[in-house]
Amino acid sequence: MKLIIGASGGVGQGLLAAWEQGERIATYHQHHPSEPAGQSLLRWLPCNVLQPGWADDLLDAVGPDLPETIVLCTGILHDAEHQPEKSITRFDRDWFARSVATNTQPFGELAATVTTRARRDQAVTLAVISAKVGSISDNKLGGWYSYRASKAALNMLVRTTAIEWRHRLPQSTLLTLHPGTTDSRLSAPFQKRLPEGQLHSPDYTGQRLAQLIDNAQPKDSGAFLSWDGSLLPW
């Protein structure tokens, strides 16, 4: 069974398309997506990762068995009132807090719940969608303060949890994934400035990420991987 959290977004939709066979549970936040014909093994569940206790509530709704693959796809870069900050003079404490609450905290809550529920001999793959701009050593352009910081914090949470899992859940795997620039609501305001060939369809992104997740092994736990399989610097 595969659980895709935030499956109504671009990356989540791509993963659903890549994993069209087998039992899948997908989550949405506000609007229940339409279900294509022939998708009897796909079940949609509502989920708001900003609600206290959401991870426990979701896994209770999934059922008694912990999915062998869990992917967290939720995130925020902008909204109607906020764009990525080009200067530190644009720093806004409320927007920063919202960025962390959306991009960072849900993984910590999900990882804590999975760690508590998983058996030591169980093989669970937990992957989270991060971003290359969360890399501190790769940051050459600056800007995008809240998004960069929230993703850098997310990367640290994954890396630190992976160290714990080596001893506590040695058969399980944690991955941090950079999806590249995917044609979605998140990237829409920034697509015009992209060089040709750097904007990927959700289906293409989903296929590449699904391959990485399916092929991951415990020795890969804690890795920060790009969509093309390359290892990214922290």
Side-chain angles (χ1 to χ4, degrees):
M1 181 196 303
K2 291 179 170 61
L3 171 61
I4 304 170
I5 303 167
S8 57
V11 173
Q13 291 174 10
L15 285 169
L16 278 178
W19 286 323
E20 61 180 354
Q21 305 297 324
E23 185 178 3
R24 293 152 299 151
I25 296 176
T27 79
Y28 66 94
H29 179 199
Q30 293 178 319
H31 304 292
H32 193 303
S34 59
E35 297 188 18
Q39 296 291 322
S40 60
L41 294 178
L42 171 61
R43 178 160 58 110
W44 286 96
L45 293 174
C47 178
N48 182 356
V49 298
L50 300 182
Q51 290 293 321
W54 73 268
D56 272 312
D57 292 343
L58 175 60
L59 291 181
D60 284 344
V62 166
D65 298 324
L66 195 65
E68 65 269 15
T69 300
I70 304 172
V71 188
L72 180 62
C73 302
T74 57
I76 191 171
L77 172 59
H78 57 84
D79 66 7
E81 289 79 35
H82 301 88
Q83 291 293 315
E85 312 96 329
K86 294 181 179 180
S87 168
I88 191 63
T89 61
R90 304 298 298 174
F91 184 85
D92 180 279
R93 63 180 296 168
D94 292 334
W95 178 245
F96 179 77
R98 183 179 171 194
S99 298
V100 171
T102 308
N103 296 333
T104 311
Q105 288 178 194
F107 171 79
E109 294 164 331
L110 178 62
T113 300
V114 172
T115 302
T116 300
R117 297 186 180 214
R119 303 186 311 272
R120 179 177 173 81
D121 62 347
Q122 196 168 1
V124 176
T125 299
L126 173 55
V128 61
I129 303 303
S130 184
K132 187 178 179 180
V133 296
S135 168
I136 294 175
S137 59
D138 187 68
N139 184 0
K140 305 297 193 300
L141 298 176
W144 290 33
Y145 286 85
S146 294
Y147 190 69
R148 284 186 187 274
S150 63
K151 291 295 189 178
L154 169 64
N155 294 350
M156 180 60 82
L157 277 180
V158 178
R159 183 69 174 176
T160 304
T161 306
I163 293 172
E164 179 176 348
W165 275 25
R166 290 175 192 169
H167 309 285
R168 186 164 181 167
L169 299 174
Q171 303 303 314
S172 293
T173 306
L174 274 167
L175 294 176
T176 310
L177 300 175
H178 167 60
T181 304
T182 303
D183 189 4
S184 66
R185 291 189 300 271
L186 185 142
S187 69
F190 316 103
Q191 294 178 7
K192 292 182 179 179
R193 296 192 292 269
L194 284 174
E196 186 175 353
Q198 288 194 13
L199 180 64
H200 301 156
S201 70
D203 284 354
Y204 181 80
T205 296
Q207 290 169 5
R208 298 306 299 261
L209 296 182
Q211 185 177 30
L212 292 175
I213 295 168
D214 288 340
N215 292 334
Q217 301 177 30
K219 64 181 178 60
D220 304 313
S221 194
F224 185 15
L225 297 174
S226 181
W227 60 271
D228 60 2
S230 60
L231 195 63
L232 293 173
W234 297 109

PDB file of all heavy atoms in Angstrom, residues 123-146:
ATOM      1  N   ALA A 123       9.769  -2.861   6.986  1.00  0.00           N
ATOM      2  CA  ALA A 123      10.426  -2.061   5.958  1.00  0.00           C
ATOM      3  C   ALA A 123       9.464  -0.990   5.468  1.00  0.00           C
ATOM      4  O   ALA A 123       8.562  -1.268   4.676  1.00  0.00           O
ATOM      5  CB  ALA A 123      10.886  -2.941   4.799  1.00  0.00           C
ATOM      6  N   VAL A 124       9.655   0.230   5.962  1.00  0.00           N
ATOM      7  CA  VAL A 124       8.836   1.367   5.559  1.00  0.00           C
ATOM      8  C   VAL A 124       9.736   2.364   4.834  1.00  0.00           C
ATOM      9  O   VAL A 124      10.847   2.637   5.277  1.00  0.00           O
ATOM     10  CB  VAL A 124       8.190   2.051   6.780  1.00  0.00           C
ATOM     11  CG1 VAL A 124       7.419   3.298   6.359  1.00  0.00           C
ATOM     12  CG2 VAL A 124       7.291   1.087   7.521  1.00  0.00           C
ATOM     13  N   THR A 125       9.254   2.897   3.718  1.00  0.00           N
ATOM     14  CA  THR A 125       9.950   3.987   3.038  1.00  0.00           C
ATOM     15  C   THR A 125       9.132   5.253   3.219  1.00  0.00           C
ATOM     16  O   THR A 125       7.979   5.322   2.799  1.00  0.00           O
ATOM     17  CB  THR A 125      10.138   3.702   1.542  1.00  0.00           C
ATOM     18  OG1 THR A 125      10.931   2.526   1.373  1.00  0.00           O
ATOM     19  CG2 THR A 125      10.831   4.876   0.857  1.00  0.00           C
ATOM     20  N   LEU A 126       9.731   6.241   3.870  1.00  0.00           N
ATOM     21  CA  LEU A 126       9.091   7.538   4.088  1.00  0.00           C
ATOM     22  C   LEU A 126       9.881   8.581   3.316  1.00  0.00           C
ATOM     23  O   LEU A 126      11.070   8.809   3.587  1.00  0.00           O
ATOM     24  CB  LEU A 126       9.058   7.874   5.577  1.00  0.00           C
ATOM     25  CG  LEU A 126       8.565   9.273   5.972  1.00  0.00           C
ATOM     26  CD1 LEU A 126       7.186   9.563   5.413  1.00  0.00           C
ATOM     27  CD2 LEU A 126       8.573   9.434   7.495  1.00  0.00           C
ATOM     28  N   ALA A 127       9.246   9.196   2.318  1.00  0.00           N
ATOM     29  CA  ALA A 127       9.896  10.210   1.495  1.00  0.00           C
ATOM     30  C   ALA A 127       9.174  11.535   1.654  1.00  0.00           C
ATOM     31  O   ALA A 127       7.949  11.574   1.806  1.00  0.00           O
ATOM     32  CB  ALA A 127       9.902   9.781   0.031  1.00  0.00           C
ATOM     33  N   VAL A 128       9.923  12.624   1.596  1.00  0.00           N
ATOM     34  CA  VAL A 128       9.325  13.951   1.713  1.00  0.00           C
ATOM     35  C   VAL A 128       9.858  14.823   0.579  1.00  0.00           C
ATOM     36  O   VAL A 128      11.041  14.748   0.217  1.00  0.00           O
ATOM     37  CB  VAL A 128       9.628  14.579   3.089  1.00  0.00           C
ATOM     38  CG1 VAL A 128      11.122  14.740   3.310  1.00  0.00           C
ATOM     39  CG2 VAL A 128       8.923  15.920   3.252  1.00  0.00           C
ATOM     40  N   ILE A 129       8.971  15.621  -0.001  1.00  0.00           N
ATOM     41  CA  ILE A 129       9.372  16.525  -1.069  1.00  0.00           C
ATOM     42  C   ILE A 129       9.969  17.787  -0.448  1.00  0.00           C
ATOM     43  O   ILE A 129       9.294  18.517   0.277  1.00  0.00           O
ATOM     44  CB  ILE A 129       8.175  16.898  -1.966  1.00  0.00           C
ATOM     45  CG1 ILE A 129       7.532  15.625  -2.537  1.00  0.00           C
ATOM     46  CG2 ILE A 129       8.634  17.829  -3.078  1.00  0.00           C
ATOM     47  CD1 ILE A 129       8.470  14.737  -3.328  1.00  0.00           C
ATOM     48  N   SER A 130      11.230  18.022  -0.733  1.00  0.00           N
ATOM     49  CA  SER A 130      11.916  19.212  -0.254  1.00  0.00           C
ATOM     50  C   SER A 130      12.223  20.095  -1.465  1.00  0.00           C
ATOM     51  O   SER A 130      11.415  20.191  -2.387  1.00  0.00           O
ATOM     52  CB  SER A 130      13.191  18.822   0.507  1.00  0.00           C
ATOM     53  OG  SER A 130      13.813  19.961   1.065  1.00  0.00           O
ATOM     54  N   ALA A 131      13.366  20.738  -1.484  1.00  0.00           N
ATOM     55  CA  ALA A 131      13.742  21.599  -2.608  1.00  0.00           C
ATOM     56  C   ALA A 131      15.247  21.843  -2.558  1.00  0.00           C
ATOM     57  O   ALA A 131      15.842  21.952  -1.478  1.00  0.00           O
ATOM     58  CB  ALA A 131      12.996  22.933  -2.561  1.00  0.00           C
ATOM     59  N   LYS A 132      15.841  21.948  -3.735  1.00  0.00           N
ATOM     60  CA  LYS A 132      17.279  22.207  -3.824  1.00  0.00           C
ATOM     61  C   LYS A 132      17.646  23.533  -3.178  1.00  0.00           C
ATOM     62  O   LYS A 132      18.756  23.681  -2.649  1.00  0.00           O
ATOM     63  CB  LYS A 132      17.707  22.185  -5.289  1.00  0.00           C
ATOM     64  CG  LYS A 132      19.207  22.273  -5.512  1.00  0.00           C
ATOM     65  CD  LYS A 132      19.530  22.192  -6.992  1.00  0.00           C
ATOM     66  CE  LYS A 132      21.025  22.290  -7.239  1.00  0.00           C
ATOM     67  NZ  LYS A 132      21.346  22.211  -8.693  1.00  0.00           N
ATOM     68  N   VAL A 133      16.716  24.494  -3.198  1.00  0.00           N
ATOM     69  CA  VAL A 133      17.026  25.789  -2.591  1.00  0.00           C
ATOM     70  C   VAL A 133      17.146  25.686  -1.067  1.00  0.00           C
ATOM     71  O   VAL A 133      17.557  26.645  -0.415  1.00  0.00           O
ATOM     72  CB  VAL A 133      15.979  26.864  -2.962  1.00  0.00           C
ATOM     73  CG1 VAL A 133      15.983  27.140  -4.451  1.00  0.00           C
ATOM     74  CG2 VAL A 133      14.595  26.475  -2.479  1.00  0.00           C
ATOM     75  N   GLY A 134      16.802  24.538  -0.493  1.00  0.00           N
ATOM     76  CA  GLY A 134      17.014  24.314   0.927  1.00  0.00           C
ATOM     77  C   GLY A 134      18.436  23.916   1.259  1.00  0.00           C
ATOM     78  O   GLY A 134      18.788  23.795   2.435  1.00  0.00           O
ATOM     79  N   SER A 135      19.257  23.707   0.240  1.00  0.00           N
ATOM     80  CA  SER A 135      20.667  23.381   0.463  1.00  0.00           C
ATOM     81  C   SER A 135      21.434  24.632   0.862  1.00  0.00           C
ATOM     82  O   SER A 135      21.424  25.632   0.133  1.00  0.00           O
ATOM     83  CB  SER A 135      21.281  22.779  -0.811  1.00  0.00           C
ATOM     84  OG  SER A 135      22.690  22.722  -0.705  1.00  0.00           O
ATOM     85  N   ILE A 136      22.107  24.589   1.992  1.00  0.00           N
ATOM     86  CA  ILE A 136      22.877  25.746   2.456  1.00  0.00           C
ATOM     87  C   ILE A 136      24.129  25.936   1.606  1.00  0.00           C
ATOM     88  O   ILE A 136      24.428  27.048   1.154  1.00  0.00           O
ATOM     89  CB  ILE A 136      23.240  25.585   3.944  1.00  0.00           C
ATOM     90  CG1 ILE A 136      21.968  25.628   4.804  1.00  0.00           C
ATOM     91  CG2 ILE A 136      24.212  26.671   4.390  1.00  0.00           C
ATOM     92  CD1 ILE A 136      22.201  25.368   6.276  1.00  0.00           C
ATOM     93  N   SER A 137      24.855  24.860   1.334  1.00  0.00           N
ATOM     94  CA  SER A 137      26.104  24.996   0.583  1.00  0.00           C
ATOM     95  C   SER A 137      25.866  25.305  -0.887  1.00  0.00           C
ATOM     96  O   SER A 137      26.743  25.853  -1.563  1.00  0.00           O
ATOM     97  CB  SER A 137      26.947  23.726   0.727  1.00  0.00           C
ATOM     98  OG  SER A 137      26.244  22.590   0.260  1.00  0.00           O
ATOM     99  N   ASP A 138      24.684  25.004  -1.418  1.00  0.00           N
ATOM    100  CA  ASP A 138      24.383  25.275  -2.821  1.00  0.00           C
ATOM    101  C   ASP A 138      23.797  26.675  -3.036  1.00  0.00           C
ATOM    102  O   ASP A 138      23.579  27.102  -4.175  1.00  0.00           O
ATOM    103  CB  ASP A 138      23.395  24.223  -3.352  1.00  0.00           C
ATOM    104  CG  ASP A 138      23.161  24.337  -4.850  1.00  0.00           C
ATOM    105  OD1 ASP A 138      24.099  24.056  -5.612  1.00  0.00           O
ATOM    106  OD2 ASP A 138      22.050  24.730  -5.242  1.00  0.00           O
ATOM    107  N   ASN A 139      23.570  27.398  -1.963  1.00  0.00           N
ATOM    108  CA  ASN A 139      22.917  28.713  -2.058  1.00  0.00           C
ATOM    109  C   ASN A 139      23.910  29.754  -2.579  1.00  0.00           C
ATOM    110  O   ASN A 139      24.746  30.259  -1.840  1.00  0.00           O
ATOM    111  CB  ASN A 139      22.379  29.120  -0.685  1.00  0.00           C
ATOM    112  CG  ASN A 139      21.605  30.429  -0.734  1.00  0.00           C
ATOM    113  OD1 ASN A 139      21.455  31.042  -1.773  1.00  0.00           O
ATOM    114  ND2 ASN A 139      21.120  30.853   0.420  1.00  0.00           N
ATOM    115  N   LYS A 140      23.778  30.088  -3.853  1.00  0.00           N
ATOM    116  CA  LYS A 140      24.661  31.079  -4.478  1.00  0.00           C
ATOM    117  C   LYS A 140      23.930  32.371  -4.837  1.00  0.00           C
ATOM    118  O   LYS A 140      24.557  33.359  -5.179  1.00  0.00           O
ATOM    119  CB  LYS A 140      25.270  30.501  -5.764  1.00  0.00           C
ATOM    120  CG  LYS A 140      25.997  29.178  -5.598  1.00  0.00           C
ATOM    121  CD  LYS A 140      27.204  29.271  -4.683  1.00  0.00           C
ATOM    122  CE  LYS A 140      28.089  28.035  -4.794  1.00  0.00           C
ATOM    123  NZ  LYS A 140      27.384  26.788  -4.431  1.00  0.00           N
ATOM    124  N   LEU A 141      22.600  32.355  -4.793  1.00  0.00           N
ATOM    125  CA  LEU A 141      21.816  33.501  -5.264  1.00  0.00           C
ATOM    126  C   LEU A 141      21.149  34.293  -4.151  1.00  0.00           C
ATOM    127  O   LEU A 141      20.784  35.448  -4.346  1.00  0.00           O
ATOM    128  CB  LEU A 141      20.736  33.023  -6.253  1.00  0.00           C
ATOM    129  CG  LEU A 141      21.241  32.350  -7.529  1.00  0.00           C
ATOM    130  CD1 LEU A 141      20.063  31.844  -8.347  1.00  0.00           C
ATOM    131  CD2 LEU A 141      22.093  33.316  -8.342  1.00  0.00           C
ATOM    132  N   GLY A 142      20.967  33.691  -2.970  1.00  0.00           N
ATOM    133  CA  GLY A 142      20.275  34.375  -1.891  1.00  0.00           C
ATOM    134  C   GLY A 142      18.780  34.471  -2.161  1.00  0.00           C
ATOM    135  O   GLY A 142      18.244  33.847  -3.078  1.00  0.00           O
ATOM    136  N   GLY A 143      18.094  35.284  -1.357  1.00  0.00           N
ATOM    137  CA  GLY A 143      16.661  35.463  -1.534  1.00  0.00           C
ATOM    138  C   GLY A 143      15.847  34.273  -1.065  1.00  0.00           C
ATOM    139  O   GLY A 143      16.373  33.289  -0.561  1.00  0.00           O
ATOM    140  N   TRP A 144      14.521  34.386  -1.235  1.00  0.00           N
ATOM    141  CA  TRP A 144      13.581  33.325  -0.884  1.00  0.00           C
ATOM    142  C   TRP A 144      13.801  32.862   0.566  1.00  0.00           C
ATOM    143  O   TRP A 144      13.867  31.669   0.861  1.00  0.00           O
ATOM    144  CB  TRP A 144      13.705  32.151  -1.853  1.00  0.00           C
ATOM    145  CG  TRP A 144      13.211  32.440  -3.236  1.00  0.00           C
ATOM    146  CD1 TRP A 144      13.274  33.636  -3.882  1.00  0.00           C
ATOM    147  CD2 TRP A 144      12.574  31.527  -4.135  1.00  0.00           C
ATOM    148  NE1 TRP A 144      12.717  33.521  -5.140  1.00  0.00           N
ATOM    149  CE2 TRP A 144      12.281  32.253  -5.324  1.00  0.00           C
ATOM    150  CE3 TRP A 144      12.227  30.189  -4.054  1.00  0.00           C
ATOM    151  CZ2 TRP A 144      11.650  31.669  -6.410  1.00  0.00           C
ATOM    152  CZ3 TRP A 144      11.603  29.599  -5.141  1.00  0.00           C
ATOM    153  CH2 TRP A 144      11.321  30.327  -6.310  1.00  0.00           C
ATOM    154  N   TYR A 145      13.880  33.798   1.472  1.00  0.00           N
ATOM    155  CA  TYR A 145      14.326  33.534   2.841  1.00  0.00           C
ATOM    156  C   TYR A 145      13.474  32.502   3.576  1.00  0.00           C
ATOM    157  O   TYR A 145      14.003  31.522   4.126  1.00  0.00           O
ATOM    158  CB  TYR A 145      14.364  34.850   3.631  1.00  0.00           C
ATOM    159  CG  TYR A 145      15.524  35.732   3.238  1.00  0.00           C
ATOM    160  CD1 TYR A 145      15.420  36.600   2.156  1.00  0.00           C
ATOM    161  CD2 TYR A 145      16.725  35.694   3.932  1.00  0.00           C
ATOM    162  CE1 TYR A 145      16.489  37.407   1.779  1.00  0.00           C
ATOM    163  CE2 TYR A 145      17.795  36.496   3.572  1.00  0.00           C
ATOM    164  CZ  TYR A 145      17.664  37.341   2.491  1.00  0.00           C
ATOM    165  OH  TYR A 145      18.725  38.135   2.116  1.00  0.00           O
ATOM    166  N   SER A 146      12.183  32.721   3.624  1.00  0.00           N
ATOM    167  CA  SER A 146      11.330  31.819   4.406  1.00  0.00           C
ATOM    168  C   SER A 146      11.291  30.427   3.792  1.00  0.00           C
ATOM    169  O   SER A 146      11.345  29.421   4.512  1.00  0.00           O
ATOM    170  CB  SER A 146       9.913  32.399   4.506  1.00  0.00           C
ATOM    171  OG  SER A 146       9.910  33.598   5.245  1.00  0.00           O
TER     172      SER A 146
END
